[in-house]
Amino acid sequence: MASADGHGAVETIEAAPAKINLALHVTGQREDGYHLLETLVTFTLAGDVLRFREAEEDGFSISGRFAPELMASGSSENLVLKARDLFRNFAAKNGSATRPVAIHLEKNLPIASGIGGGSADAAAALRGLRRHWKLEIGDLTLQEMALALGADVPMCLTSRPLIARGIGEKIEQLSRFPNLSMVLANPLKGVSTPHIFRLLTEKNNPSLPPIVDDNEAGGLQMLRRLRNDLQPSAISLLPEIDTILSLLSSEGAELARMSGSGATCFGIFPTIQKAKAAAAALRQTQPGWYVQETMTIAGRTS
């Protein structure tokens, strides 16, 4: 695809899907302070977008609804650039040259919101640069680079339904996990992840049960038996999370739960049409919120 401004022969486009923790069980804590987790994760068609093009020198730019907040914080910008530099250094050590690249991030997801954000952007940077620079770097090596960037980046690199264990580095892909129709909602208020973990009264909770991987109805029944162990603490810090869950349920969600450490919540709806109707109703009553209807990305079929 030709670049929009005429600079560079080719533009490479890479999606950064939102990460949804359908369930998050805290099962322990390591001596170094990291919490042990078991989480059922899926990804959505909603997300950020990264674009890469050749340039005379490296560049980085941002647009989108949440660009101002991102530029003020610098968090995801740093992760994208860290991903670029990590990839380039690895390539140089292995005798591969990398050309200057201009990276543009279309920031559609709220930052620090429990749905991937910077981790998804960093993972998309690794995937996109591998394609843009046409480097023969294996998936395992890319996963190692992803883990060096953060515990959530390896699962975002996969961007397919999965179970993650440990601190997020032990990944089991789910090949036949069904598509789900969803509404994402966030009040655009921050909640401190470290504070949430400090408020946990129990850090040795039951593990995930066996996961249904091939039946939508059975999958929904299973999801109702799971939980997000961070949700009660998050609600105590930000009561609006409980309001979101109640509103999603009142609009017809078959299941409403917080994702990750919040404050984004998701509601699962029977059809995408009902999800769209629910999202429209929420936007009307809560115009200051982030509200997005979407579909999840299916598991790999082979």
Side-chain angles (χ1 to χ4, degrees), residues 27-296:
T27 59
Q29 188 172 17
R30 303 193 317 193
E31 290 184 0
D32 61 7
Y34 281 97
H35 289 83
L36 297 174
L37 310 174
E38 292 191 4
T39 179
L40 174 61
V41 176
T42 191
F43 295 83
T44 75
L45 298 178
D48 297 336
V49 180
L50 273 77
R51 292 176 168 84
F52 310 83
R53 62 173 175 80
E54 293 187 26
E56 294 182 359
E57 59 183 15
D58 285 337
F60 184 76
S61 56
I62 313 172
S63 66
R65 177 180 176 183
F66 296 102
E69 291 89 340
L70 181 60
M71 287 186 284
S73 72
S75 57
S76 285
E77 171 184 349
N78 288 337
L79 269 180
V80 169
L81 298 185
K82 284 180 181 178
R84 178 201 64 192
D85 295 343
L86 182 66
F87 201 119
R88 175 173 279 149
N89 290 338
F90 176 87
K93 289 178 181 177
N94 288 271
S96 298
T98 55
R99 304 177 303 279
V101 60
I103 302 174
H104 181 80
L105 171 60
E106 180 185 312
K107 192 63 186 170
N108 303 314
L109 300 176
I111 65 173
S113 58
I115 52 176
S119 296
D121 296 339
L126 293 176
R127 291 194 307 267
L129 288 170
R130 179 168 65 174
R131 290 196 298 121
H132 186 76
W133 282 331
K134 297 180 173 62
L135 295 178
E136 296 295 330
I137 293 179
D139 290 344
L140 182 58
T141 300
L142 214 63
Q143 285 281 353
E144 291 171 352
M145 282 192 270
L147 184 58
L149 293 166
D152 280 358
V153 183
M155 63 183 86
C156 291
L157 190 66
T158 302
S159 282
R160 296 280 178 169
L162 57 85
I163 298 171
R165 296 182 173 88
I167 62 170
E169 83 283 10
K170 300 174 183 177
I171 292 174
E172 173 192 346
Q173 290 195 49
L174 300 174
S175 60
R176 299 179 303 277
F177 201 80
N179 292 99
L180 301 170
S181 300
M182 250 182 211
V183 173
L184 309 179
N186 185 298
L188 301 184
K189 293 184 179 180
V191 58
S192 167
T193 298
H195 196 174
I196 289 172
F197 275 103
R198 285 196 296 271
L199 288 176
L200 288 176
T201 57
E202 180 56 64
K203 300 183 179 182
N204 295 282
N205 299 293
S207 301
L208 288 173
I211 299 300
V212 175
D213 190 19
D214 60 356
N215 180 280
E216 188 167 351
L220 188 59
Q221 293 174 9
M222 170 212 49
L223 288 175
R224 291 193 180 106
R225 296 194 296 270
L226 307 182
R227 60 189 192 275
N228 183 339
D229 289 331
L230 303 183
Q231 186 170 302
S233 296
I235 290 173
S236 72
L237 293 174
L238 188 65
E240 285 94 332
I241 293 171
D242 201 34
T243 302
I244 296 170
L245 297 172
S246 296
L247 288 174
L248 287 169
S249 296
S250 68
E251 291 297 336
E254 297 177 308
L255 173 70
R257 183 173 288 155
M258 187 181 80
S259 177
S261 58
T264 302
C265 299
F266 64 88
I268 298 176
F269 289 81
T271 65
I272 189 60
Q273 290 76 19
K274 291 186 178 180
K276 289 179 178 178
L282 283 177
R283 288 190 195 99
Q284 186 170 12
T285 59
Q286 303 291 340
W289 287 7
Y290 166 79
V291 178
Q292 180 64 57
E293 70 275 12
T294 188
M295 293 283 295
T296 63

